[in-house]
Amino acid sequence: MKADIRVCSAWRDRHDRPVYTLGEVCPECGAATENAVPAPFSPEDHYGEYRRALKRRRRQ
């Protein structure tokens, strides 16, 4: 799933704060934008097993 909100990929170098937009390019500097939300899955998810078990119990 792709989020609608995007952030300037070069904001650390060119801006003093993140620049969020809905477009493919930054409106302030013209750099490409990237997805602003982190991935929903992490291989280092230490509590995933417990969360999935709880979800299974709720469905029953």
Side-chain angles (χ1 to χ4, degrees), residues 45-57:
D45 185 6
H46 301 290
Y47 299 102
E49 177 184 344
Y50 303 109
R51 193 177 55 255
R52 287 186 293 275
L54 181 63
K55 194 180 223 182
R56 282 191 296 269
R57 275 189 257 152

Side-chain angles (χ1 to χ4, degrees), residues 2-56:
K2 189 173 169 186
D4 291 333
I5 299 175
R6 302 177 65 82
V7 66
C8 177
S9 61
W11 76 266
R12 288 180 180 85
D13 300 329
R14 299 182 187 178
H15 311 288
D16 57 345
R17 59 179 178 74
V19 176
Y20 296 98
T21 182
L22 297 175
E24 296 290 324
V25 293
C26 176
E28 294 184 17
C29 69
T33 58
E34 56 191 25
N35 195 353
V37 258
F41 171 77
S42 171
E44 299 157 359
D45 185 6
H46 301 290
Y47 299 102
E49 177 184 344
Y50 303 109
R51 193 177 55 255
R52 287 186 293 275
L54 181 63
K55 194 180 223 182
R56 282 191 296 269

